[in-house]
Amino acid sequence: MINLEDFTLIPAGSLEKDPRPLAYLYTESINIVSYAKQMQEYSYYSMLKLAEDLSKQQGYILLPWNCIHWQRAKQFGSDRKIKIGRKSFFRMKVNELTKGEMRKLVHHLDELRQHAI
């Protein structure tokens, strides 16, 4: 069973390195493409953290789009859909998840932990 307080879609360590000071400290020597990628990743995870915190306050978890069937996603509509960057998430209660969604979510969380290592 998923614990609401411990649930997160953010890989460990993804918000530890803030790239914003790099542009100020290394204005002449910074690789702009690398800096843009770092900023994009940091911004994505900080927005995901914000969305997770707000959802948890209301008793929801964020379920990635690839963990929910498209017909079921259509039923919930836009009132529970959150789009961060190019990825979509649905605010769901833990007891609303089907067995398939729970299985896909656990698989998704395992993949996140493996990539973080």
Side-chain angles (χ1 to χ4, degrees):
M1 190 68 180
I2 294 177
N3 187 4
L4 187 62
E5 290 81 29
D6 299 334
F7 178 80
T8 186
L9 295 172
I10 302 168
S14 61
L15 290 175
E16 290 176 3
K17 295 181 181 176
D18 186 358
R20 291 178 289 190
L22 296 176
Y24 175 75
L25 296 173
Y26 305 104
T27 54
E28 299 294 323
S29 63
I30 193 166
N31 181 343
I32 193 69
V33 174
S34 174
Y35 177 72
K37 287 181 181 179
Q38 290 175 359
M39 275 303 300
Q40 183 180 19
E41 182 178 350
Y42 183 79
S43 298
Y44 169 75
Y45 284 124
S46 62
M47 290 299 295
L48 184 59
K49 175 79 172 140
L50 178 65
E52 263 187 3
D53 290 345
L54 291 173
S55 295
K56 283 181 184 179
Q57 288 176 359
Q58 297 172 350
Y60 292 101
I61 62 168
L62 290 182
L63 183 68
W65 171 264
N66 59 355
C67 295
I68 190 169
H69 193 273
W70 68 270
Q71 289 175 336
R72 186 163 152 84
K74 195 174 179 181
Q75 287 177 346
F76 287 109
S78 62
D79 58 331
R80 288 201 187 180
K81 185 177 180 182
I82 296 175
K83 192 162 178 82
I84 300 173
R86 294 182 178 179
K87 298 185 179 181
S88 297
F89 301 90
F90 283 89
R91 295 175 348 137
M92 303 286 285
K93 299 257 186 202
V94 176
N95 59 0
E96 290 178 334
L97 298 178
T98 63
K99 291 178 186 176
E101 291 169 349
M102 185 67 79
R103 187 182 70 248
K104 289 178 184 178
L105 180 60
V106 168
H107 180 70
H108 182 78
L109 293 173
D110 289 341
E111 285 181 355
L112 282 178
R113 288 188 192 102
Q114 287 177 357
H115 289 295
I117 294 174

